[in-house]
Amino acid sequence: MGIEGDAYRYAVKNAILHNGKASSGAIVGKIKALYPKLDIKKTMEIALEAVKKANSLDENELKKEFEKFEKQGWELKPKEKEEKLPLLEWAKKEKVVTRYAPNPNGPFHLGNARTAVLSKEYAKRHDGKFILRFDDTDPKVKKPIANAERIFKEDLHWLDCDPDETFFASDRLDIYYSYLKTTLQKGFAYICQCKSEEWREKIKKKQACPCREIKAREQVKLFDKMLKGEVKEGTAVIRIKTNLEHKDPSTRDWWAAKIVDKAIHTNPNAIGKHVWPSYNFASAIDDHLLKVTLVIRGQEHEQNKTKQEFLYKYLGWKYPHCFHIGRISLPGLMLSTSKIKEGIEKGQYSGWDDPRLGTIRAFRRRGFKPEVLKEALFDLGVNTNDSVVQWAKLIDLNKKLIEPESERMAFFEEPLQLDIHLAPGQMGKLLVNKKAFEKFKKGNVVRLRQLFNVKITKKDPLQVFADFVGTAKVNKPIVGWFREGKDVEIVMDDDSKKLGIADNKIAGKEKGDRVYFDGLGFCIIDAIEEGKIMLRFTHK
Ligand code: GLU
């Protein structure tokens, strides 16, 4: 029946109930319940249209319409959660092998997690295999970070995306060399020794460079010299021959390997190597050799498919199935690997889990649940659109999950002692929030949360005095309190620190436990050091 149809049914029902005059408010509620994903503007438009249509019916027509719908029954259930991941028709015949292939030159963040969780999900659904492969063959510009394997694996594990196998391209250089040699021997590639600007000028004009025509035997000889380190960096580039007429100049004779004289690498197996394959070459070879059947990667790699297909054709291989997906952003969070890295190096960020970053570590440390990130990513589906992940949505989902396990308690940045005169000769002492008491004056009555009511009799900068005035729930300001407090330190979402005192019941908690501080929000215990409890602010 569709959204418009459903809206109209309810408009008719509403009109019957209100003398032929339906109102859009009620219809909006119904549409929202049935189609929660529809944005509010569209919902309003549809509701208004439906109301207009229903209100234009005369009494008879309205009755007829109503009876028709009455027969069909009114109660509609929200539609089954839409399946956003396309089905793999081919998976009946082929095994599903996916891979997540980061260049480990920076941390794992929400932007690249989209590829990882989708790849894992498809492998899981089809009883296939999910490979983690580090595309770490750039030892100069995008050098790998230290401990990349541990860091990526920890984060993947947290997201329930453990790989079945792990590979490092930097361990496989000899494999790429053998394919480079084959392509040179067969005349599918050439070593270009032209100055790069000259080569570029030619290729722009769709002209072949003279090196392209040098005999295969000579090419292979030169390649051997390159491997031995006898050719200087910047003087020789291996290029795959492509269609020179190709409309995208970057595709024409794309580079497959080059020389790096002083390669810096974390992998001891890669030290001392002179020839380094491009991502495009290594990744293309590996996708085939590792029997990858489904490649899921960023939209920016779509043209790389075109490049790699030349190589696949030469080698007689079948190119894997591909999904290219759009970029994601999260307003207010940094999601650029290079900027994150730069910021950390400059000391702008405290580390990879600085709460201002969109890294998986930062989300984890700050107290987000992995299911929340995954749901938000799945919700974007598989498409090439660039998407914005909404904070409000992440927080909403996370709140639902953490609320039951977060004990509610008071937290004050500055406490104030409250002396209560309970009965003749009987005094009680509590700690309250100095800030909350700023607005109260002598004579005001306040309710101590879940306790009783007191009337302020005297206020000093460090102390307040009050009389007990009853236990009945009254319409008076409610304030938090505790008998004994504990020092806590909270790292907020902007990396600033809040020091204060929390209810001593926090003392029984452990690292990883969550609390809800009145007036502040959800926090997670990050560490307990020498009796001091350090927390991270999760969200309001
Ligand atoms: N190393 C590439 C990246 O990090 C992977 C692209 C691909 O999956 O082919 O973007």
Side-chain angles (χ1 to χ4, degrees):
M1 180 166 260
I3 310 174
E4 282 85 3
D6 286 334
Y8 175 61
R9 289 156 55 91
Y10 283 103
V12 166
K13 188 176 184 180
N14 196 262
I16 283 280
L17 294 173
H18 299 100
N19 292 328
K21 289 265 163 290
S23 78
S24 58
I27 319 300
V28 168
K30 280 284 175 202
I31 306 178
K32 271 248 107 353
L34 288 171
Y35 303 94
K37 293 234 169 76
L38 197 67
D39 72 60
I40 190 69
K41 187 164 165 264
K42 188 92 194 129
T43 307
M44 291 291 287
E45 276 169 23
I46 293 175
L48 285 172
E49 198 49 44
V51 165
K52 204 164 121 198
K53 203 168 143 194
N55 289 353
S56 71
L57 302 173
D58 65 30
E59 208 175 314
N60 248 335
E61 289 166 332
L62 184 64
K63 235 175 114 195
K64 262 203 216 136
E65 287 288 77
F66 180 73
E67 278 160 12
K68 185 175 89 194
F69 294 141
E70 186 92 306
K71 267 192 226 129
Q72 295 167 356
W74 289 100
E75 272 330 302
L76 294 176
K77 290 209 175 59
K79 300 277 173 288
E80 278 296 297
K81 207 171 163 221
E82 242 176 290
E83 178 51 271
K84 296 224 170 169
L85 308 188
L87 297 176
L88 309 179
E89 279 305 323
W90 51 268
K92 289 181 203 120
K93 290 187 229 106
E94 286 172 72
K95 181 167 171 161
V96 175
V97 180
T98 61
R99 88 306 194 265
Y100 170 52
N103 181 336
N105 63 318
F108 188 31
H109 58 70
L110 196 66
N112 34 39
R114 187 176 180 189
T115 319
V117 300
L118 287 172
S119 299
K120 173 73 184 186
E121 180 66 17
Y122 273 111
K124 220 168 24 184
R125 281 187 185 195
H126 295 278
D127 209 9
K129 190 157 82 177
F130 170 60
I131 294 173
L132 168 63
R133 189 186 72 223
F134 290 105
D135 281 349
D136 57 350
T137 59
D138 183 346
K140 202 171 168 186
V141 183
K142 292 188 168 183
K143 291 190 283 289
I145 49 164
N147 304 318
E149 182 178 12
R150 179 177 58 76
I151 290 163
F152 272 82
K153 280 191 170 168
E154 272 173 17
D155 290 350
L156 285 167
H157 178 73
W158 183 72
L159 285 170
D160 194 21
C161 288
D162 287 322
D164 299 304
E165 286 175 20
T166 304
F167 296 93
F168 291 84
S170 57
D171 273 337
R172 301 166 60 79
L173 295 174
D174 288 337
I175 299 175
Y176 312 132
Y177 296 159
S178 96
Y179 281 97
L180 283 167
K181 200 165 204 166
T182 309
T183 50
L184 288 167
Q185 269 162 349
K186 297 203 168 157
F188 301 145
Y190 63 97
I191 303 174
C192 179
Q193 292 183 284
C194 301
K195 287 217 164 61
S196 60
E197 312 81 67
E198 285 167 21
W199 179 84
R200 213 166 295 132
E201 276 313 305
K202 281 217 158 53
I203 215 78
K204 246 199 244 162
K205 292 189 227 141
K206 306 178 178 176
Q207 288 168 3
C209 108
C211 313
R212 216 183 193 244
E213 307 312 324
I214 296 172
K215 288 218 166 48
R217 237 177 16 158
E218 295 303 312
Q219 305 269 13
V220 173
K221 252 198 224 156
L222 181 57
F223 179 58
D224 285 335
K225 278 187 164 178
M226 285 170 73
L227 289 178
K228 282 191 215 137
E230 291 167 12
V231 183
K232 275 229 291 291
E233 179 173 328
T235 63
V237 178
I238 306 182
R239 298 191 169 278
I240 301 297
K241 292 183 186 171
T242 68
N243 171 9
L244 289 178
E245 301 285 320
H246 198 284
K247 60 178 186 314
D248 174 7
S250 82
T251 299
R252 297 176 201 155
D253 287 7
W254 55 273
W255 75 276
K258 64 181 176 192
I259 296 166
V260 179
D261 279 338
K262 290 189 186 94
I264 299 176
H265 212 287
T266 48
N267 184 352
N269 298 339
I271 303 227
K273 301 281 188 185
H274 302 283
V275 178
W276 289 84
S278 62
Y279 142 73
N280 261 315
F281 188 81
S283 167
I285 297 291
D286 277 344
D287 282 341
H288 175 77
L289 296 184
L290 303 177
K291 301 190 167 50
V292 170
T293 51
L294 175 63
V295 168
I296 303 177
R297 63 185 162 202
Q299 176 63 19
E300 68 276 17
H301 290 291
E302 188 149 35
Q303 50 148 224
N304 292 331
K305 177 178 179 221
T306 314
K307 293 183 188 172
Q308 295 175 355
E309 272 171 340
F310 282 98
L311 187 62
Y312 270 64
K313 207 160 149 225
Y314 291 144
L315 298 170
W317 296 345
K318 179 178 174 291
Y319 202 78
H321 303 272
C322 288
F323 286 137
H324 289 102
I325 53 177
R327 277 176 191 275
I328 62 172
S329 56
L330 210 171
L333 267 201
M334 176 51 77
L335 281 182
S336 144
T337 305
S338 51
K339 289 203 179 122
I340 293 175
K341 212 172 150 196
E342 199 187 299
I344 290 176
E345 278 160 9
K346 283 193 187 149
Q348 236 168 304
Y349 300 121
S350 58
W352 283 4
D353 46 17
D354 185 301
R356 290 163 291 180
L357 302 179
T359 58
I360 299 301
R361 321 220 111 199
F363 278 110
R364 181 170 77 197
R365 189 151 179 205
R366 164 168 182 186
F368 273 85
K369 291 266 190 184
E371 299 88 322
V372 169
L373 301 189
K374 281 170 77 173
E375 179 159 346
L377 292 173
F378 284 140
D379 210 40
L380 300 176
V382 177
N383 54 56
T384 53
N385 307 339
D386 287 348
S387 321
V388 182
V389 176
Q390 299 299 339
W391 262 123
K393 185 176 171 173
L394 287 184
I395 291 176
D396 216 43
L397 287 170
N398 204 55
K399 206 186 266 180
K400 281 197 190 102
L401 295 180
I402 65 174
E403 212 151 32
E405 58 178 272
S406 308
E407 188 174 351
R408 183 176 181 168
M409 62 181 79
F411 159 81
F412 312 140
E413 282 187 76
E414 265 187 276
L416 191 63
Q417 187 174 309
L418 173 69
D419 283 11
I420 309 163
H421 183 234
L422 294 165
Q426 215 188 332
M427 293 297 287
K429 272 191 205 319
L430 294 178
L431 291 172
V432 290
N433 193 356
K434 185 169 182 189
K435 190 134 188 266
F437 271 73
E438 270 165 13
K439 53 182 180 287
F440 304 135
K441 295 195 299 272
K442 179 177 166 184
N444 284 162
V445 173
V446 297
R447 177 159 179 82
L448 298 166
R449 176 169 280 126
Q450 295 183 339
L451 197 64
F452 49 67
N453 313 320
V454 295
K455 185 180 204 165
I456 298 171
T457 53
K458 189 173 161 211
K459 252 181 99 181
D460 283 347
L462 292 175
Q463 215 170 341
V464 193
F465 297 87
D467 285 344
F468 167 83
V469 289
T471 54
K473 280 200 176 155
V474 284
N475 194 15
K476 294 288 174 199
I478 299 174
V479 294
W481 57 271
F482 44 75
R483 287 200 173 81
E484 208 187 321
K486 178 133 188 91
D487 281 345
V488 297
E489 183 179 309
I490 308 166
V491 174
M492 298 302 292
D493 47 357
D494 60 358
D495 204 40
S496 66
K497 284 200 178 103
K498 241 189 218 324
L499 298 173
I501 295 188
D503 189 325
N504 199 45
K505 53 188 178 181
I506 199 169
K509 308 229 172 265
E510 289 170 13
K511 181 176 164 144
D513 285 348
R514 298 165 190 276
V515 291
Y516 178 81
F517 285 145
D518 282 322
L520 185 72
F522 294 91
C523 294
I524 184 164
I525 299 182
D526 190 54
I528 302 174
E529 282 168 17
E530 291 163 8
K532 186 164 181 184
I533 301 196
M534 333 278 264
L535 299 110
R536 292 225 156 193
F537 174 71
T538 308
H539 47 65
K540 277 204 186 302

